[in-house]
Every structure is written in C-alpha cells, then in structure tokens.
Amino acid sequence: MQSLDTRHAGHEPQPGRSTRAGKSRPRPTFSQVLGEVFLTVGVLVLAFAFYESYWTNVEAGRQQEAANERLDELWQAEGEQQPEGERVNPRGRFTPELGEAFARMYIPSFGSDFHFAVIEGTDEEELLAGPGRYTASQMPGEAGNFAVAGHRVGKGAPFNDLGNLRSCDAIVVETFASWNVYRVMPMSVDPTTRQQEAAACFTDTQVQRMTGGEYAGVAGRHITTPNHIEMINPVPGATTTEVHAGAEPLITLTTCHPQFSAAERMIVHGMLVEQIPKTGGERPAVLEET
C-alpha cells in the first residue's frame, strides 16, 4: 500500500528550497494599479450612465403619466364648475401648488407623440415628473416670460432635442382655457438676417421689436452659463424683473449643455403669435405641423 507520508521517496523538502505555500507573490506595478483604477472608474461611469439614461426614464415616465392623469382630472373639475354658456377667460390667473401639473406642452416638429405635462417648480423632485416652470416667471399666455426648465438626458429627457429647433418652429402650451402658440425667435443676431427670419411667422410689429426694439438681442437659441439667470426675466437679458406695459408674451426653455454635463445652459426663446380659446374639444391645426 502506498504511504500517504510524502516525506520519503524523494519528497523530503531540500534545504534552502521554498515550498509552494512559502512562495511570495510579486508586488503589483504602478501601471497595473493604475489600470485597475481606470477599469473600476469605467465600470462606475457606465453604471451611472445606464442609471441616468434608462432607469430614471422609467421612474420619470411613471410620474409624468400620473401628472397627466391629475391634470385631466383638474381640468374636468374646473369645467364642471363653469356656468353653462360662460366663456372661460384665457388669461385668468391660476397659481398651482409646487409639484402640481397645470399645463401641457407640445412641440409639433418633434413628432405627434411629444407632449408633456408642465409641473410647477424646478427642484429635482419636480423635474423628475416633467418640465417645470420657474416660479418667478409668468404663466402661459401672459405678458412677460413663461420660463420652463427640463432635463436633456435621463429623467424623461423632455428637452433632449432643443438643439434641433429652428426659427419659427411652434411651441404650443395648452391650458384649461386656451391653446397658446409660440414661435421660436430668429436665431441670427444680424439685423438683416434676423428680419428675414422673423418675417416668416411674426407680425410686422413683432418683427420691428425683434430687429430694432427691446427684443433685438434675444436670440432664438444660444448657450450660456448657469449664473445668467436674467435669461428668464420678462425681457430676457434685461436686469428688471418687472413686466412693463406692452410687453410681449414670451416662452423660454432651458436645459443643460452639453449632454451629460451641467457646465452650461442651452436657452430657447419664443414669442406668442396666437392664443386660441378651447371650444368643443377641437385641437388646433398647428399641432399637425412637422
């Protein structure tokens, strides 16, 4: 029978020779450690990107659906309270609670499926449910500036395609009482080019105000830094927050720039060209534009 003792038959450890268990592992080099660090960071970045671009979209979609349902219920309740035959004042003041949906936004050039309930407030909690109104700004259709923030990546990404908007593209905001049709202002700041762009969709008076008046410096789209909060003032870029007599109703959309970064802000400005009272459940033709 073969013995289990391995100390004989040539298996006796020799003096000065290490056993397998006694061998020391080689020390890792700096390049190996650095490679492992980069690999770990890469995995974390990929996990974060997946979370931001996919998982937060799931939660945002759920909250946006709930916001749309509550908005329909709110409008139905408001409709039942209106005296029969009485026209609703489209400029009637309504102050929503933080986190409450109060309007719906459409951008026809983004496709018929682009519509989001607009939420009151711009904190992270509100913006997870949808684009949110800067609470210091005006309401839809009012003189001044109706300013709305939205995410560009993840969390529903309602403003992911703002960079594709062109001068005169429609931005439609539906409220309980009306359809508010804004058009993107001219992209150019050159007076001649600006006048040509504006003439395609704005009135003569609006064209004059955009080329030689107080709105001459308001571009349809531009990039700025987050500290330029004056972009949501009644006249974007002006220092006053007061709405002066005769001010045009504007809309301002803001989002992070570039994608996956909050270093800058992309700003889009539009001007109201039409306000259509809601009657009989009809949708305006502008929603069919491409």
Side-chain angles (χ1 to χ4, degrees):
M1 178 180 294
Q2 188 176 18
S3 171
L4 295 178
D5 188 350
T6 59
R7 290 179 296 172
H8 64 284
H11 294 286
E12 184 72 27
Q14 299 298 315
R17 184 178 297 177
S18 299
T19 63
R20 182 182 299 271
K23 287 184 178 180
S24 60
R25 298 180 61 186
R27 298 181 62 183
T29 64
F30 174 77
S31 60
Q32 289 174 326
V33 172
L34 189 62
E36 290 185 4
V37 170
F38 283 156
L39 180 61
T40 302
V41 170
V43 170
L44 292 175
V45 168
L46 287 174
F48 176 75
F50 173 80
Y51 173 78
E52 281 290 307
S53 62
Y54 175 76
W55 189 252
T56 60
N57 283 339
V58 174
E59 175 60 19
R62 185 186 67 80
Q63 292 199 28
Q64 173 66 196
E65 182 178 359
N68 270 296
E69 291 177 356
R70 290 194 298 270
L71 183 59
D72 288 335
E73 293 171 358
L74 173 65
W75 285 351
Q76 181 178 355
E78 288 182 353
E80 292 172 352
Q81 294 173 6
Q82 295 295 323
E84 186 175 354
E86 180 176 318
R87 178 184 291 272
V88 178
N89 177 13
R91 295 185 183 273
R93 181 73 185 182
F94 166 66
T95 304
E97 299 290 333
L98 282 175
E100 182 179 18
F102 64 91
R104 194 170 281 128
M105 179 183 296
Y106 305 79
I107 301 181
S109 63
F110 290 171
S112 59
D113 60 341
F114 183 95
H115 51 83
F116 282 88
V118 181
I119 311 299
E120 177 73 351
T122 56
D123 287 344
E124 196 61 31
E125 183 178 355
E126 283 93 49
L127 293 183
L128 181 61
R133 182 183 81 100
Y134 289 91
T135 56
S137 71
Q138 282 66 58
M139 295 297 286
E142 290 185 341
N145 193 4
F146 170 52
V148 181
H151 284 293
R152 195 174 180 188
V153 175
K155 303 176 179 68
F159 289 169
N160 180 60
D161 295 325
L162 287 193
N164 296 331
L165 283 172
R166 300 162 297 179
S167 177
C168 286
D169 278 352
I171 303 171
V172 183
V173 180
E174 178 189 11
T175 66
F176 166 68
S178 64
W179 301 91
N180 301 275
V181 183
Y182 300 85
R183 297 281 179 178
V184 177
M185 297 172 70
M187 300 293 179
S188 176
V189 293
D190 172 72
T192 301
T193 306
R194 188 172 177 83
Q195 183 174 18
Q196 293 172 348
E197 291 183 28
C201 59
F202 295 101
T203 67
D204 291 342
T205 300
Q206 289 176 325
V207 171
Q208 291 175 6
R209 302 184 80 174
M210 281 188 276
T211 54
E214 64 269 51
Y215 302 101
V218 183
R221 182 177 60 245
H222 61 101
I223 307 299
T224 186
T225 50
N227 60 305
H228 285 177
I229 59 175
E230 70 275 6
M231 289 298 108
I232 67 171
N233 286 347
V235 177
T239 56
T240 180
T241 58
E242 298 296 324
V243 180
H244 64 79
E248 295 281 350
L250 304 183
I251 188 170
T252 293
L253 308 181
T254 75
T255 194
C256 292
H257 180 81
Q259 289 181 320
F260 295 102
S261 172
E264 298 176 312
R265 294 290 183 271
M266 178 182 289
I267 313 291
V268 170
H269 298 295
M271 185 176 286
L272 188 75
V273 297
E274 188 176 15
Q275 192 172 54
I276 308 169
K278 290 171 69 174
T279 56
E282 297 180 358
R283 290 162 55 91
V286 65
L287 294 181
E288 306 305 320
E289 289 185 4
T290 58

